[in-house]
Amino acid sequence: MRAGTGSAVRRARTGWRFMAPALTVVVAVTIFPIVYSIYMSFNRIQLTLHGFHFQWVGLSNYRLLMASGLYRYAMEFTIVYAVITVLAELILGTLAALILQRLRRGRSGLLALLLLPWSLITVISAEMWGYIYNGVYGVLDAILLSLHIIRTPVVWLGFPQLAIASTMFADVWKTMPFVAILVLAGLEMIPVEVIEASYMDGAGSWQIFWRVQLPLIRSTMSLAVLFRILQAFGLFDLPFVLTGGGPGTATESIAVLGYQVMFQDLSFGPGAAVAASTTALVLIMAMVFLWVFRGMAEEGMA
Amino acid sequence: MTKGKATVVTIMATGGIGVLSVVSAGCGLFGSGPAAQRRATAVKKPGAHRPPGGGKRVTIDWAASPITQTGTRRTMIRAFEASHPNLRVKLITMSTNTDTTRTTLSTEIEGGSATPDVYMGDVIWPAQFAHSGLAVNLSKYLPHGFWSRFAPGLVTGASYRGRVYAAPFFMDAGFLYYRKDLLKKAGLPVPRTWQQLASDAKTLQAKHLVRYGYVWEGAAYEGLTCDLMEFLADSGAKVLNSAGTKVVLNSPRAISAVTFMRSLITRGISPAAVSTYQEPDAMNTFDAGDAAFMRNWDYAWSNSQTPGTKVVGKVGVEPMPAFASAKQPGYSCIGGWDLYVNPHTRHLQQALTFIRWMTSAPAQRILAKKYSEVPTNYAVQKESSVRKKNPVLRIVARVRLVSRPSSTPLYPQLSQALYQNVNAALTGQIAPTTAITRASREISADLAGRGL
């Protein structure tokens, strides 16, 4: 008995020893910065010649955020943006995956083509969308004008709703393939026999998708959604390049605001508070999304 | 001013300022080449106040964003090294985006990094960087006389609470670019007032000579603050009181300035897209021959002269218009770049030597004559050979300057409040009155430490 406990302890100790290098890295690059920035968010920070000078101010940085119209708007914008784009990507991505799955020939070619937007660096694709949306020489205006759909050039990034919609469109264009690939992988994992059996039982295509395929790819889809929500909340490069947060502050995401406060204003306390509150929000949103989505998928299965 | 500069030279030559001039005076006296270097070393060795590493070859790191024309920085470095055999300069290229550069520099320096030793930074940084301990108080090390070499107003712009934190390197300002050929065709003179510019633009557009009248920078970014400052100054409005402690923006004059900016769009003089325009967008439209007038910086001149551009030989440049002809020229916002020293540098003396040289007449002449940058050295700015270089340099002395309210470390917040609200007014989301009211409210919250 005693010998057994001793060996368990020994084994645990060896385990920790093996884990130590990885743990050190995790603590150094993940845990420490998070804890440090949470600590920062409770302080007034003055940069001096000798580095940061901290002064504990409790919740005052958070009170500053709550009182700020900019912060509230950025929060709302980011949440609405994340919900709409992730939903759109999920629906379009799933459709694309279903089509790809049915293709007999040219699938890999199409797949590569589909992945092109995803593989582009956002800063570059954002610049490209900038040219497309340009209100004077824009490709989009040129096409719509020649088709007589519009009579005068539209300044796509010049009006709040339009700018938000244009940004969302560029985002969906870029990230939909990611969802499509994940969903396709999920679909491919479903044994052919299952689908064949459903046909034999007289199920239509719609029923097969809704009652057989969808419940079976549920976990893959939740994974895709989770990844996308985390990314959508970090929305930075697209509005940063495309609109600079404008017009006014219409496309100022929480990350763009955080950047502004932290690195333009060098206002580190409030900046850290923006970051910390974003982290909290992302965690909550990710959990809510997963919970709602699982519920929906289970309902479909029943 | 020239007299002031002469004094500096005299002091340097007589070695009156001691330690600081050892390196530069030494090299200046003995000329260049390895032999000179050996002798210079020998001379300096016994000195008790020998700068750290003064006898050896020292390399300093200079962080700088690319300057308009390629090769500018490297040419300057080569010229500096040629006259300073003991010093080598390593160029660290920064982003062309001011904010990215600020992020990089502030992160590095606040982390205690000893490099870069010298960095090129925006003219709107001194207060913020001084306040945050990111820049050396240069007035502590460089004599009073040194600062007289700069064009009026520039040193004040580089100061925070009476101390100078940066040496003006090259300057820029807003200029009115216009199409000589179009004005000639329509028999119009160059507009001196905004009203005249608007009506000329309308005339040219009505005659189908050009698509747009006037292009400028209206996107939600720092550039809009510059354009706005010009309109505000022209209409007699200010953002802060002279002490920089109180907002005085909310006034009928400020509202009329923003109303005029908006009217340029509603009257079809400026494209609606101007509310998304940064400098390159305005330049593209103008260089494609689609605009009669443009507000842009010095570098827009060389761009419009690039062979293959549709407007080569058709472009003229003048100081900005004003709201009343009696008040012309109108105001031009000061832009440009300064040289700062990293407080953690291990080569302070060498960094100062570098700054002295970069702002000296020979260096500034290279900048102006070879690369068409506007020199900050006042004597060079006025030299006739420099003024002949291009039309921008010819008129720069006539330009009436206005600075952004960057004397407070909170300037970035102030500027955001200005450009975000005014941009919203330009797109018609909010009325000019609302934009000014909101900007004022946000700025006063910022000043009180209640802003985000």
Side-chain angles (χ1 to χ4, degrees), chain B residues 376-387:
Chain B
T376 50
N377 189 306
Y378 200 39
V380 175
Q381 209 178 79
K382 289 188 296 186
E383 277 172 19
S384 64
S385 63
V386 167
R387 297 186 50 187

Side-chain angles (χ1 to χ4, degrees), chain A residues 10 20 55 68 121 123 132 141 160 181 185 189 191 205 222 269 273 288 291:
Chain A
R10 239 194 334 273
Q55 185 199 344
S68 159
I121 298 164
V123 174
I132 294 176
D141 275 344
I181 292 292
M189 296 224 300
S205 305
S222 352
V288 169
W291 178 64

